[in-house]
Amino acid sequence: MIIGVPREIKNNENRVALTPGGVTQFIGSGHRVLIEADAGIGSGFTNEDYLAAGAVILEDVAKVWNDADMVMKVKEPLASEYVYFREGLILFTYLHLAAEPALAQALKEKGVTAIAYETVTSGRTLPLLTPMSEVAGRMAAQIGAQFLEKPKGGKGILLAGVPGVSRGKVTIIGGGVVGTNAAKMAIGLGADVTIIDLSADRLRQLDDIFGNSIKTLMSNPMNIGAAVAEADLLICAVLIPGAKAPTLVSEEMVKAMNTGSVIVDVAIDQGGIVETIDHITTHDHPTYEKHGIVHYAVANMPGAVPRTSTLALTNVTVQYAMQIANKGVHKAIIENAALKAGVNVAKGEITYEAVARDLGYTYTPVDVAFEREFSLN
Ligand SMILES: NC(=O)C1=CN([C@@H]2O[C@H](COP(=O)(O)OP(=O)(O)OC[C@H]3O[C@@H](n4cnc5c(N)ncnc54)[C@H](O)[C@@H]3O)[C@@H](O)[C@H]2O)C=CC1
Ligand SMILES: CC(=O)C(=O)O
């Protein structure tokens, strides 16, 4: 199989979908790898590193897309990349389609087989989302602490406090991977941390992990309202896999926060959970102010720490990509249920139920989409 890796074009996105180490794995199994020139520079990998690993370096991004059987990316394609979609192309990347209706439509229309890292599901875990959630969760606390500083627009508090001055309050909604990693960092910074989740079992686990270093609360509008109102830093980390994120923090709740408080909505890649966040922000312009509150809604947070993030992401993606390359996409998904759960679009159908429901499409199970094609041929 020919694997293509274009350079990422989202704002300040310096990750790359394959390291030179990953290239050697594909080459060793008899595949070819096309890398767009300078695709790895932001993560510290030069064109020479890729050449030494056996890849072909191409200046022309169109050739990378058009000559490849499978394109591996990090972020969802932007509108300028839709032109490369074609029937039979396999696309393996983050997609977040519930928040990207135009992308879902383009993939469906063009007959791309699109496998979303974020819905590859092994048991109850999301193995290709987890490492980036670890990064974004850890970043959320440090970014929040930074924007609480007065010159950055915040109220001017230090989360740790000092002897004789109280600590800052951090409220985290969603106690999964992002929430847990945000909590680790916030506790490390000395903050007073509250975690809210909908799952009583998860709250028990968090209590076992963190003990008296945190408070836990069941997710309901009353608890969310109270914990948001008192938060200096609110970190939003809810996920319903594949689905548009629910709006849990209303405009009224935001208005009840103290001026200069900070919201970091990590769940923005699935649409976000805060009513006053109506657009994605970028690493170039990461925040805006509304009702006196600093809003941060960057959808590619790990892109700011690309060396760590590329290594962490490719540690887990390559083994799945290798299965696709070695077996072909159909056999690979038949034999690997985790990978099968990643297929969001195939054969002109939406094959992930939550995406179909949220975007108003008919849901077609992935087996049915492939069978239909075989019965037509
Ligand atoms: N902005 C960015 O750059 C990045 C964003 N993310 C996003 O962060 C979000 C969270 O990801 P993970 O922590 O990996 O997910 P996860 O599945 O590990 O955790 C989600 C948690 O939300 C909880 N939850 C669901 N509904 C809830 C509700 N109504 N109230 C309170 N809690 C609720 C679940 O019980 C679960 O514990 C996802 O949207 C993910 O895509 C992840 C990495 C980077
Ligand atoms: C999860 C995701 O979308 C990211 O790491 O950018």
Side-chain angles (χ1 to χ4, degrees):
M1 187 177 273
I2 302 178
I3 293 94
V5 178
R7 192 170 55 80
E8 295 297 318
I9 58 172
K10 201 173 175 116
N11 183 286
N12 274 289
E13 184 50 77
N14 289 298
R15 286 172 287 179
V16 61
L18 209 54
T19 63
V23 171
T24 57
Q25 288 179 259
F26 282 105
I27 301 289
S29 295
H31 304 293
R32 287 186 69 210
V33 181
L34 313 177
I35 307 271
E36 184 184 351
D38 294 343
I41 291 290
S43 296
F45 300 113
T46 64
N47 295 338
E48 290 70 32
D49 294 333
Y50 285 105
L51 282 171
V56 174
I57 299 290
L58 294 175
E59 295 287 340
D60 182 4
V61 63
K63 272 191 81 59
V64 175
W65 280 90
N66 295 337
D67 291 359
D69 302 300
M70 170 165 67
V71 165
M72 288 183 72
K73 276 181 52 61
V74 177
K75 289 309 287 182
E76 71 282 353
L78 301 187
S80 63
E81 294 172 306
Y82 298 178
V83 64
Y84 303 123
F85 295 170
R86 62 173 198 277
E87 196 168 342
L89 174 71
I90 304 161
L91 177 63
F92 194 34
T93 187
Y94 286 119
L95 286 170
H96 304 292
L97 292 183
E100 295 284 342
L103 174 59
Q105 177 66 21
L107 293 167
K108 183 175 158 4
E109 262 175 25
K110 294 288 173 69
V112 175
T113 299
I115 307 173
Y117 292 160
E118 74 274 9
T119 67
V120 170
T121 309
S122 177
R124 296 176 66 179
T125 69
L126 304 169
L128 306 192
L129 181 61
T130 296
M132 294 305 93
S133 290
E134 290 167 341
V135 171
R138 289 173 188 216
M139 287 178 74
Q142 78 184 36
I143 285 168
Q146 209 185 325
F147 283 106
L148 279 167
E149 292 171 11
K150 201 74 181 167
K152 293 282 177 68
K155 59 172 60 162
I157 65 152
L158 183 65
L159 280 179
V162 286
V165 181
S166 54
R167 301 182 289 155
K169 288 188 192 301
V170 176
T171 294
I172 300 171
I173 308 181
V177 180
V178 168
T180 304
N181 281 276
K184 276 185 190 163
M185 294 292 275
I187 293 165
L189 289 171
D192 175 350
V193 178
T194 299
I195 308 182
I196 300 177
D197 203 285
L198 196 58
S199 157
D201 284 343
R202 186 63 195 153
L203 292 175
R204 275 187 204 103
Q205 287 168 348
L206 291 166
D207 187 76
D208 286 343
I209 296 168
F210 294 115
N212 290 337
S213 314
I214 58 160
K215 284 170 257 176
T216 56
L217 286 174
M218 176 50 69
S219 179
N220 61 48
M222 205 172 136
N223 283 343
I224 291 176
V228 167
E230 67 171 20
D232 297 302
L233 168 59
L234 171 64
I235 295 175
C236 305
V238 163
L239 175 66
I240 300 163
K244 174 122 185 27
T247 303
L248 300 177
V249 179
S250 66
E251 183 156 13
E252 288 312 306
M253 292 179 191
V254 173
K255 282 184 185 167
M257 295 175 82
N258 290 317
T259 300
S261 298
V262 174
I263 300 175
V264 176
D265 193 351
V266 185
I268 188 64
D269 55 355
Q270 293 290 144
I273 68 163
V274 181
E275 194 177 9
T276 46
I277 296 188
D278 55 6
H279 66 280
I280 285 173
T281 60
T282 64
H283 288 292
D284 277 347
H285 300 287
T287 61
Y288 63 91
E289 179 268 321
K290 189 157 187 188
H291 303 311
I293 306 303
V294 179
H295 291 63
Y296 176 100
V298 173
N300 60 332
M301 293 170 66
V305 287
R307 182 76 182 181
T308 304
S309 300
T310 290
L311 291 170
L313 179 62
T314 56
N315 277 345
V316 292
T317 50
V318 170
Q319 54 179 308
Y320 288 94
M322 283 289 289
Q323 290 177 37
I324 299 170
N326 288 340
K327 300 176 182 177
V329 70
H330 192 208
K331 189 159 189 276
I333 63 173
I334 288 172
E335 293 183 1
N336 186 329
L339 195 54
K340 188 179 187 179
V343 183
N344 280 216
V345 187
K347 311 294 170 195
E349 312 279 357
I350 301 291
T351 53
Y352 198 89
E353 195 167 6
V355 171
R357 186 192 57 231
D358 284 356
L359 297 183
Y361 289 108
T362 304
Y363 162 61
T364 306
V366 63
D367 295 322
V368 175
F370 275 92
E371 273 160 25
R372 236 180 237 165
E373 191 205 35
F374 291 126
S375 61
L376 287 174
N377 289 336

